[in-house]
Amino acid sequence: DQQVKQNSPSLSVQEGRISILNCDYTNSMFDYFLWYKKYPAEGPTFLISISSIKDKNEDGRFTVFLNKSAKHLSLHIVPSQPGDSAVYFCAAETQAGTALIFGKGTTLSVSS
Amino acid sequence: EAQVTQNPRYLITVTGKKLTVTCSQNMNHEYMSWYRQDPGLGLRQIYYSMNVEVTDKGDVPEGYKVSRKEKRNFPLILESPSPNQTSLYFCATKPGLATNEQFFGPGTRLTVL
C-alpha cells in the first residue's frame, strides 16, 4: 500500500499565481518530509524540507506546510514562474534514515 | 564541483546479458543508494549502502546486486536482466544517516528487450 500519496497527477497555473501541490501520508512514524523537483532527462533536485516538529518552513518563493493530525503536507509556490514547470515529488524519510519513500509525483505547468 | 555521475546514461540491451550501471560521487559521502522510477509508481529504493562493505536491500531488490568496495563508487549489477527491469535508474548519496537530503545523479534509462 502506498505510504506517500500525491493524488493530483497534474496542475496548471498561470504565471504570477500561487501553485499548491498536495501530499498525504499514512505512516505516522515518518518524521521528516522533503520535496524534490525534476526536469526531464535530469535527476530529482532537492527543493525544501520540513521536520515533523514544525508546521511550516519557508525558503524564498517556496513554503511547505505540515498538518500532522491530518497526515497532510502541501507545497506553496508564490509567485509561480514558467521555470517552475516540472514534476514535483513529495518524499518521506524512514525513521532509520536509510530510505526516502516517494509519492508518484505531480506535473506542474506554469503558463505565461 | 560536487556531483554524482552515472554511466551509461542510456542503454538498450537484451534479456540475460549481464550489465553494470556505475555510480560515482566526489563528495566523500558515506551513504549511497539506488532507486528506480517507473510510470505511475514514483521512485522506489533498490539497495542502499551506509559505508564501504555495508549494503542492504531496499523495497525492490529482486534481480539486482550491488557492491561498495570504495567510498566513492556504488555500482548496480543486473546479472540476468529481464524486460521488467526496463526503467529509469537513479543513484543518490548523502553525507550520512544523520542528514536527510539526498543528492541524485542524472539517471540511467535502461531498456531490456
Side-chain angles (χ1 to χ4, degrees):
Chain A
D1 191 29
Q2 247 200 320
Q3 298 186 70
V4 177
K5 301 177 184 178
Q6 292 177 259
N7 292 320
S8 298
S10 61
L11 175 67
S12 294
V13 171
Q14 281 194 315
E15 182 178 9
R17 308 294 284 264
I18 185 172
S19 296
I20 300 176
L21 295 95
N22 294 303
C23 178
D24 298 294
Y25 61 96
T26 57
N27 189 339
S28 58
M29 301 301 286
F30 290 143
D31 55 15
Y32 207 86
F33 302 91
L34 305 91
W35 284 92
Y36 279 82
K37 176 179 177 180
K38 185 183 179 306
Y39 292 118
E42 294 183 13
T45 55
F46 171 75
L47 193 57
I48 193 169
S49 61
I50 188 166
S51 164
S52 62
I53 63 172
K54 297 187 174 182
D55 54 18
K56 177 182 175 181
N57 188 27
E58 193 170 354
D59 184 1
R61 296 186 297 114
F62 303 92
T63 303
V64 56
F65 296 92
L66 175 62
N67 182 334
K68 280 190 70 176
S69 60
K71 295 192 181 69
H72 176 82
L73 59 154
S74 60
L75 173 68
H76 292 212
I77 306 173
V78 184
S80 301
Q81 299 173 354
D84 296 329
S85 297
V87 179
Y88 289 78
F89 289 99
C90 173
E93 188 179 51
T94 58
Q95 268 201 308
T98 55
L100 293 177
I101 309 299
F102 283 86
K104 295 180 181 181
T106 297
T107 300
L108 174 65
S109 299
V110 181
S111 57
S112 53
Chain B
E1 180 191 351
Q3 55 183 340
V4 181
T5 58
Q6 294 181 225
N7 281 294
R9 293 288 314 276
Y10 303 90
L11 178 62
I12 300 174
T13 189
V14 294
T15 299
K17 186 177 181 182
K18 181 179 179 179
L19 66 93
T20 299
V21 183
T22 65
C23 173
S24 182
Q25 49 100 358
N26 63 358
M27 296 171 279
N28 201 35
H29 285 176
E30 292 185 347
Y31 172 97
M32 297 184 74
S33 183
W34 278 102
Y35 292 83
R36 61 178 286 174
Q37 182 190 1
D38 301 292
L41 290 177
L43 282 80
R44 295 176 294 166
Q45 190 185 54
I46 303 170
Y47 268 95
Y48 67 94
S49 169
M50 292 192 286
N51 214 325
V52 176
E53 302 291 1
V54 181
T55 63
D56 208 346
K57 296 177 180 178
D59 286 335
V60 288
E62 295 79 20
Y64 304 95
K65 286 176 59 177
V66 293
S67 70
R68 187 89 182 274
K69 292 182 170 40
E70 307 166 276
K71 201 170 190 179
R72 63 181 294 129
N73 296 322
F74 189 44
L76 179 69
I77 303 155
L78 286 71
E79 298 242 334
S80 183
S82 62
N84 65 11
Q85 293 178 297
T86 292
S87 189
L88 181 55
Y89 292 87
F90 292 102
C91 179
T93 79
K94 63 178 181 175
L97 291 185
T99 52
N100 310 107
E101 175 192 344
Q102 294 190 26
F103 299 88
F104 283 81
T108 295
R109 183 165 292 282
L110 172 65
T111 301
V112 183
L113 302 175

